[in-house]
Amino acid sequence: MAEKAKYVKAEQTKWQSIINAFRPWTLYTAFFSVALGAVWALNRGYWDWLLFILTLLGGVLLQAASNLFNTYGDYASGVDTVESALRSPELVRGQLKPETVKWMGVGCCAVTALIGCYLIYATGWQIIIF
């Protein structure tokens, strides 16, 4: 019983579970990738706050979508169990429904696609190559 107790976290509210499913502790990778590109652009005299914010938002949303799909896939394939899912236990503990997590990932991708369409419009089709 004591062995299992180390895996049990305090119960989360619905909103805490949703936020945790995005794995916010991993989103810094997208931030630093976009920030590096922004420093490069700024250094060469190309700067646009709107493009920076949209690119940052798109990068963070893609990282979040990857996290959500990973959580869903691990749950659907049976990889995640109550004992193994320490960082994102929302599905195995029944705090969120698998379909909810999957559709949150799809929503992140949809918003990112819209941002991408605007970036293509604002900068030219050549950005697709990048």
Side-chain angles (χ1 to χ4, degrees):
M1 185 75 156
E3 184 68 27
K4 188 171 182 163
K6 72 179 184 179
Y7 297 110
V8 178
K9 293 181 180 179
E11 287 298 315
Q12 298 177 342
T13 67
K14 183 78 162 186
W15 283 108
Q16 287 172 324
S17 296
I18 289 171
I19 290 169
N20 195 54
F22 281 87
R23 297 183 189 166
W25 60 90
T26 67
L27 300 180
Y28 72 90
T29 57
F31 174 80
F32 284 118
S33 299
V34 173
L36 182 62
V39 168
W40 182 85
L42 184 61
N43 195 27
R44 283 160 181 74
Y46 302 104
W47 184 256
D48 185 314
W49 276 103
L50 179 61
L51 294 181
F52 170 69
I53 291 169
L54 288 175
T55 304
L56 182 61
L57 180 61
V60 168
L61 285 173
L62 277 180
Q63 178 68 44
S66 174
N67 294 341
L68 292 164
F69 289 139
N70 179 267
T71 296
Y72 174 80
D74 285 352
Y75 175 79
S77 67
V79 171
D80 278 352
T81 64
V82 173
E83 290 80 19
S84 69
L86 297 176
R87 293 190 178 194
S88 194
E90 292 76 26
L91 293 179
V92 294
R93 292 177 65 196
Q95 295 166 322
L96 295 175
K97 295 178 182 174
E99 290 297 310
T100 301
V101 172
K102 181 173 76 173
W103 283 107
M104 287 189 316
V106 169
C108 288
C109 287
V111 173
T112 302
L114 292 173
I115 291 170
C117 288
Y118 178 77
L119 292 175
I120 292 168
Y121 170 77
T123 64
W125 66 267
Q126 296 86 349
I127 197 168
I128 296 172
I129 297 168
F130 180 69

